[in-house]
Amino acid sequence: SAVTSAFTLDVRFIGAGGSAEMRAAFTNAAAKWRRMIVGHVRSVPLNRAAGDCGSWVPAVNETISDVVIFARIGPIDSGGTNGLNTLAQAGPCLYSTLDNLPITGVMEFDEYDVPSMIANGTFGDVVLHEMGHVLGVGTLWRTGRSLLTGAGTAAPYFTSASP
């Protein structure tokens, strides 16, 4: 049965933000995460200066309901010309003192790699994956939580309180 989510996931594009197709990938990824995280986490007043989470992130002076993600499509590694071949990068930025969970995060996608990801049908999957990092998947497992079992082994796994 369908569950209505009370979780708010606000994606804000910085810069041009790409085509309608690119933006749809973010909307679809946020909707999928909202189907998995159904409860309202918290609302937190936040007043932070521009550049607090990266040189391209704007100032924030508002009450954040659950999570705000700043996203941009821009230069990361020029399509691997520097030897790194980074398609995207993302993670939480600011955390709530109430529960130590993300309030804000950033997602960046290499403008040189996005067209090929769209052409081969992987862009939506990469957006979903990176959004998970902002929400704490993989990025918060060892932050005083003991949620990662087998770190550094061939078979690490996430330990959850629920099956």
Side-chain angles (χ1 to χ4, degrees), residues 103-127:
I103 301 170
T104 64
V106 294
M107 297 173 66
E108 293 183 272
F109 296 82
D110 194 340
E111 65 189 0
Y112 299 97
D113 294 314
V114 169
S116 63
M117 287 188 282
I118 289 173
N120 67 25
T122 60
F123 185 64
D125 294 332
V126 174
V127 171

Side-chain angles (χ1 to χ4, degrees), residues 37-159:
I37 306 169
V38 296
H40 173 64
V41 180
R42 92 311 279 139
S43 294
V44 178
L46 185 62
N47 186 357
R48 302 296 281 219
D52 216 22
C53 292
S55 61
W56 54 273
V57 178
V60 177
N61 186 10
E62 64 187 276
T63 297
I64 303 292
S65 179
D66 299 325
V67 179
V68 170
I69 297 174
F70 297 100
R72 80 170 178 169
I73 297 169
I76 295 177
D77 67 4
S78 303
T81 58
N82 63 0
L84 295 177
N85 200 24
T86 303
L87 302 175
Q89 53 195 13
C93 181
L94 299 173
Y95 305 89
S96 168
T97 57
L98 301 172
D99 53 22
N100 207 27
L101 292 174
I103 301 170
T104 64
V106 294
M107 297 173 66
E108 293 183 272
F109 296 82
D110 194 340
E111 65 189 0
Y112 299 97
D113 294 314
V114 169
S116 63
M117 287 188 282
I118 289 173
N120 67 25
T122 60
F123 185 64
D125 294 332
V126 174
V127 171
L128 180 69
H129 173 98
E130 296 299 330
M131 198 172 285
H133 287 319
V134 172
L135 297 173
V137 177
T139 54
L140 296 181
W141 289 357
R142 292 191 284 179
T143 311
R145 289 180 173 77
S146 301
L147 299 178
L148 180 62
T149 301
T153 70
Y157 61 93
F158 172 69
T159 306

